[in-house]
Amino acid sequence: MKIKFLPLIAVLFAATSIMTSCLDNDVEQVTYTSETSITGFSLGTLNIDRIGKDKDGKDSAYVDTLDCSEYPFTINQMTREIENKDSLPYGTHIDKVITSVTYDAGALAYRPKGTDKDTLWTSTDSIDFSGDTRTMSTVTPIEFKVYAYSGAIGQAYKVKINVHQQVPDTISWKKFDNSFSANLSEQKAVYANGKVYVFGKNGSNTQIEYSDVANDNPTSWTPVASVPANIDTYSATVWTENIYFLAGTVNNKKLYKLDVTTNEITSAGTDVFEILIGGNDVTKELYAVKGGKSGTYKENVWTEDTNPFTQFTAGKPFFSNTTTASYNSNVTTTVALCYNQGTTANDTTALVFNRMSSDSKWETRMQNLPLPNLKNVTMIYYDGKLYAFGGESVKPEVKPFSQFYCSTDNGLCWRPVTECMAFPAEFGTLYTTHHGNYSCAVTPKLENGTSRGNFIWIVWEDGSISRGRINRLGFTPKW
C-alpha cells in the first residue's frame, strides 16, 4: 500500500478525535497519544553465501539460511538511528529482509530504497537494505516513520544493517617496499614500544635497524647507532619492555640492553653467556645458557638450574613464548622452539622445549603431532595460539612458506592450518629470492579502543615488509 493511502488514514485518525470531543459531556472522551517511537527492531531468517565441499571434495559455493533474530539492534532515540553493532556474517544477503518492529500505537511506514514515497509496513514485507552496508553519511538508509492515532507523524528513523565486508578468519596481506641500508642475513626481529627491530648481519658486520609501526604503517628503516661488535643476532629477546642481546666472541658473549625509548645500548652485567632462550616478565627472569648449562638471570644474579638442561645448542635462533596458567596467574609455562640441526634421518621434527615456573627446569617437549623440521623456522604467538612456519622440510616434504602450523596446547600438537590462515603464493618465491633470509615480529593488540595492532610483520633480506592480519582482529569495536 503506497503513500496515497496514508493521508486518508491520518484524516480518519483526526476525525475520530474531533467527533469524540463534540459529543455530550456525559460521553467518555478518548484522548489519543501522539507518541511516535520505534521501541524494538529485529530481523528474521536471511540467506547467506557458504563454501562447502562437493562429492569430489572440492570447494563448492552454495546458499544457506541464517536465523538473525538474535542479533541485537541499538535504537538511538536521540538521533533516531537504528543499527546492529555486531555485524552480520560475511556473505549475508540483505536485499530481501523480513523485519519485526514494535512501535507506539498507530501505523508504521517505510520508504523503500530508490523511491521518494512511503509504504505502509507489514510484518511480511521483504525490504531491500543492500545499499546500507556503508556509513550513513554516504548512503541514504531505509527510513521508518510512525503515524500516531492523534494524526502526528513521527520523525523518521534511519535503519542500517551492518554486514562484515571481509571474511573474518581470513588473513589479509600488504607489501611495503622499504629497504635496509644493506641486505641483512641471519635476521631476528622483535617488537617493542611501537617499533619493529631487526638484528642482522651485513657480511662480517652486525647491525640493528628499526621501523616505527605505531600507526600500523612502517616508517623507513633507521639504523641504531653505536652498536657493539660481534652481535649474536639470534639472541635478541624482549624482556621487561626492553631488548636484551649478546655480543662478543664465541666464548665471551656478554649481555647488553637496548633501551627502546632512547635506542641507547648499555652493558647489562659482567656475566658471560652462550645462548639466550627467552624472558619471563611474570617471574622477572631471563632464561639463558652458561657453561653449557641452563639457568636464570635475575637482578644481575645468575642462578644455575638445580637440574640444568644441557641439550640447547647454539647457532640458531630460539623463539619462546610465556603464558600464565588459567588456575594461577603466578604459574607460567614457557615454550621454546628452534630448528633441529641434527644430521640423522630421524631428525625430521623441530625441537620444542617447555618449562614450568613451578618446576624451574627445562624439558624436551614430546610432541604428539610433531612440527616438521622447517628450515629457518619461526614461531609466533598470535590470536591466542602458537603458530610456526618457515622454509622447506625434506621429510615430510614441505615447500617454503606454504603452510602455517598451529598449536593450542603449548607445543604438544602441531596441526597444519588448511583454511583461511594462509600465505600468498608469492611468499615461496620471496623466500628463495632472499636466500632464506627473513625475520618476523608481531604487534600485540593495542588496548586503546581502536582496531589497531594485531599485525604480523615479515621482514625480508632487503628490508621490504609483508604485513598480515586476521580480518576480524582489525574490526573496529562498536560497543
Side-chain angles (χ1 to χ4, degrees), residues 229-370:
N230 300 316
I231 296 175
D232 179 355
T233 58
Y234 291 148
S235 65
T237 299
V238 177
W239 179 50
T240 60
E241 299 183 351
N242 289 295
I243 301 173
Y244 289 78
F245 62 93
L246 302 177
T249 57
V250 174
N251 298 316
N252 190 33
K253 295 180 181 179
K254 293 184 178 180
L255 185 65
Y256 290 84
K257 170 188 172 183
L258 193 164
D259 188 312
V260 297
T261 302
T262 63
N263 288 321
E264 294 182 352
I265 297 174
T266 56
S267 177
T270 58
D271 286 89
V272 176
F273 301 98
E274 293 154 30
I275 309 173
L276 285 189
I277 304 300
N280 188 329
D281 285 348
V282 176
T283 61
K284 305 300 182 184
E285 296 174 324
L286 190 65
Y287 300 133
V289 174
K290 181 177 181 180
K293 298 179 180 179
S294 66
T296 59
Y297 191 70
K298 182 177 183 179
E299 297 178 348
N300 296 325
V301 176
W302 167 255
T303 303
E304 185 177 293
D305 290 339
T306 303
N307 297 305
F309 195 76
T310 60
Q311 298 181 40
F312 290 126
T313 55
K316 291 292 179 182
F318 281 86
F319 300 93
S320 66
N321 180 72
T322 298
T323 55
T324 56
S326 59
Y327 55 86
N328 188 337
S329 60
N330 292 319
V331 176
T332 64
T333 298
T334 300
V335 175
L337 178 148
C338 74
Y339 177 69
N340 189 340
Q341 302 178 73
T343 57
T344 69
N346 294 326
D347 298 322
T348 59
T349 63
L351 296 177
V352 180
F353 310 94
N354 71 290
R355 180 189 182 101
M356 292 282 293
S357 60
S358 55
D359 296 336
S360 298
K361 65 178 181 179
W362 286 99
E363 295 178 330
T364 300
R365 192 64 150 155
M366 302 305 294
Q367 304 171 65
N368 291 343
L369 290 176

Side-chain angles (χ1 to χ4, degrees), residues 63 82 122 135 160 187 228 314:
V63 177
I82 302 174
T122 69
T135 62
K160 174 187 178 188
Q187 291 184 21

